[in-house]
Amino acid sequence: MNPASDLIKKHFSEYYRRKGAEAPKDMEKREFGFGNDKKIDYRHYSFKVEDELKNYLVNNAPLYASFSSAYYEYPSAQPMTKKNILGADLIFEFDAECKHNNLACPECLEKAKRDTIRLIEDFLVPDFGFDKKDISVSFSGSRGYHVYVVNDAVKQLSGEARRQLVDYLQAKNLDVKSIIRRGATLSSKGWSGRLAKAAYEHVKSSDQKKFAEKEDVLKKMSEGNYDLFMGAHSFWDKTLNEQVIHLSSAIDQSVTIDLSRLIRLPSTLHGGSSLLCQYVDNLDKYNPFSDAVVFYNPPMKIKLTKDVSELVLREETFGPFIHGQETSLPEYAALYLICKEAALPA
Ligand SMILES: [Zn+2]
């Protein structure tokens, strides 16, 4: 557990007292789980009304709060089979694995955001035919974004059907050759069209000798003749790698496939960052390092417990700091470093 968890909980409790929390859709059918040490230390909770949830958060101030994508007849029943599942929202998770040694890495979160937008614009809407009004996105409060598809048809998808959606996004078992041979064109739907466009653009932007009769080749391609690309394995490998949705880790995929998973509850604070997990309306303009920062400005004294490179919160730059350094920072920046286990109250 975070050695400063008492201080964090005090601030979280005050936050929930002021702001409350938002009940998810059909709250009384959802299972809730909470954690201080791990993401989930306790689960099988349920709440009937928003105030009950708020009171729980004010009184217990858990560092992590999650809810089920599934709807249950008896959400607090144990074991899981006694809950009687009624359906589940379809969820996708994008987490940024930061390798930049940056405690507030805009680059990695920006990448997660681009992946999120690509999932929606390139797959969920055109290929799966989901309605944009049924799709929402939240910032997880830490390293990434969640995408939710909520409607009655999706609710009934089995775990196996969800696995097939994930396989499709990742182009698993996609037979490129037979797609091309069957005459994919620029206007084909789904992967056929995506592959056709990639090859077409490749020729169009190329000045290599083998495309000397470029106009001719492009014309053929637009008619669905991709003979030139039949054996171009490395080109297709590269194209697929660029275009699949990388739900890289097994954990990210299980969020989509495993109906019993709990996911971070929007409107709650993330104990590993002090940032707010929240629904995002305009993903393009969203900046988690400003928009999800909820604490205040009064100075708080901290002592660094590791070296920390420069970080930007609310468009203000802090640090770099060195291990052992004592400093005074606005509460929101101090809490961020404390939640990241990079500092302790001094
Ligand atoms: Zn990074």
Side-chain angles (χ1 to χ4, degrees):
M1 200 183 303
N2 189 310
S5 64
D6 286 348
L7 174 103
I8 298 169
K9 280 166 161 295
K10 185 173 138 272
H11 282 87
F12 279 21
S13 175
E14 279 164 15
Y15 173 84
Y16 291 126
R17 198 184 306 281
R18 278 186 285 115
K19 298 283 186 176
E22 255 170 68
K25 180 178 175 280
D26 294 330
M27 174 165 79
E28 70 286 355
K29 297 196 183 91
R30 308 273 194 174
E31 179 197 359
F32 290 78
F34 304 98
N36 292 308
D37 215 4
K38 305 189 297 287
K39 181 185 166 196
I40 313 281
D41 294 325
Y42 325 92
R43 60 185 297 174
H44 310 295
Y45 284 74
S46 71
F47 301 99
K48 295 248 179 310
V49 291
E50 199 167 72
D51 267 353
E52 259 181 49
L53 171 64
K54 175 182 174 177
N55 289 340
Y56 182 90
L57 293 171
V58 170
N59 294 331
N60 298 280
L63 296 196
Y64 310 103
S66 302
F67 76 121
S68 60
S69 59
Y71 305 82
Y72 300 104
E73 188 175 7
Y74 309 110
S76 57
Q78 297 181 53
M80 293 304 289
T81 47
K82 291 223 168 118
K83 293 187 195 297
N84 190 22
I85 189 164
L86 303 169
D89 300 332
L90 178 64
I91 314 274
F92 300 93
E93 178 174 298
F94 292 96
D95 253 354
E97 276 295 352
C98 181
K99 295 188 175 76
H100 302 106
N101 195 25
N102 183 343
L103 277 191
C105 188
E107 199 180 318
C108 285
L109 270 172
E110 188 60 27
K111 189 189 168 297
K113 185 203 272 188
R114 291 294 134 211
D115 286 342
T116 303
I117 293 174
R118 211 159 60 77
L119 171 72
I120 297 170
E121 302 292 339
D122 293 356
F123 290 91
L124 297 187
V125 174
D127 286 14
F128 296 163
F130 293 134
D131 196 327
K132 266 209 173 155
K133 73 171 172 37
D134 294 337
I135 301 173
S136 47
V137 175
S138 72
F139 170 58
S140 75
S142 177
R143 298 186 307 174
Y145 294 90
H146 290 147
V147 177
Y148 313 74
V149 185
V150 181
N151 69 34
D152 286 342
V154 155
K155 232 187 217 181
Q156 299 310 323
L157 290 176
S158 66
E160 179 50 34
R162 290 164 204 250
R163 177 186 301 281
Q164 287 172 14
L165 295 184
V166 170
D167 287 351
Y168 180 90
L169 297 174
Q170 302 188 321
K172 206 172 162 187
N173 306 321
L174 191 76
D175 185 350
V176 174
K177 261 195 172 173
S178 86
I179 286 180
I180 293 305
R181 198 177 293 125
R182 272 185 275 129
T185 66
L186 299 177
S187 55
S188 299
K189 286 207 181 309
W191 276 111
S192 304
R194 244 188 298 282
L195 296 177
K197 272 177 220 142
Y200 188 88
E201 290 304 322
H202 179 71
V203 173
K204 206 174 159 191
S205 63
S206 169
D207 51 5
Q208 292 171 45
K209 275 218 178 82
K210 64 174 169 178
F211 298 133
E213 292 155 44
K214 205 155 127 177
E215 290 311 315
D216 222 33
V217 174
L218 288 175
K219 186 164 175 292
K220 274 186 180 168
M221 292 173 88
S222 66
E223 289 160 356
N225 180 339
Y226 287 84
D227 289 352
L228 199 58
F229 279 85
M230 227 22 136
H233 302 292
S234 63
F235 170 78
W236 294 122
D237 286 349
K238 183 170 162 283
T239 300
L240 283 179
N241 189 47
E242 282 165 5
Q243 303 218 0
V244 297
I245 296 293
H246 292 281
L247 297 162
S248 50
S249 73
I251 293 172
D252 290 352
Q253 294 187 33
S254 83
V255 168
T256 305
I257 296 161
D258 178 357
L259 302 181
S260 67
R261 280 283 300 238
L262 301 180
I263 39 182
R264 191 89 46 205
L265 178 63
S267 80
T268 64
L269 296 165
H270 193 297
S273 68
S274 80
L275 301 183
L276 186 66
C277 170
Q278 59 185 169
Y279 286 110
V280 176
D281 286 332
N282 188 340
L283 200 51
D284 258 331
K285 292 205 174 121
Y286 185 74
N287 175 3
F289 299 116
S290 294
D291 297 329
V293 178
V294 296
F295 287 101
Y296 294 98
N297 291 316
M300 189 190 271
K301 265 190 158 167
I302 55 167
K303 183 173 184 174
L304 276 293
T305 55
K306 55 170 78 162
D307 293 344
V308 172
S309 56
E310 199 176 85
L311 66 141
V312 179
L313 293 171
R314 281 197 186 141
E315 288 166 15
E316 196 171 335
T317 304
F318 302 99
F321 304 103
I322 54 163
H323 186 172
Q325 183 180 348
E326 289 195 28
T327 184
S328 187
L329 297 180
E331 181 187 82
Y332 65 86
L335 279 173
Y336 187 84
L337 290 175
I338 290 169
C339 283
K340 289 279 176 190
E341 298 198 24
L344 285 169

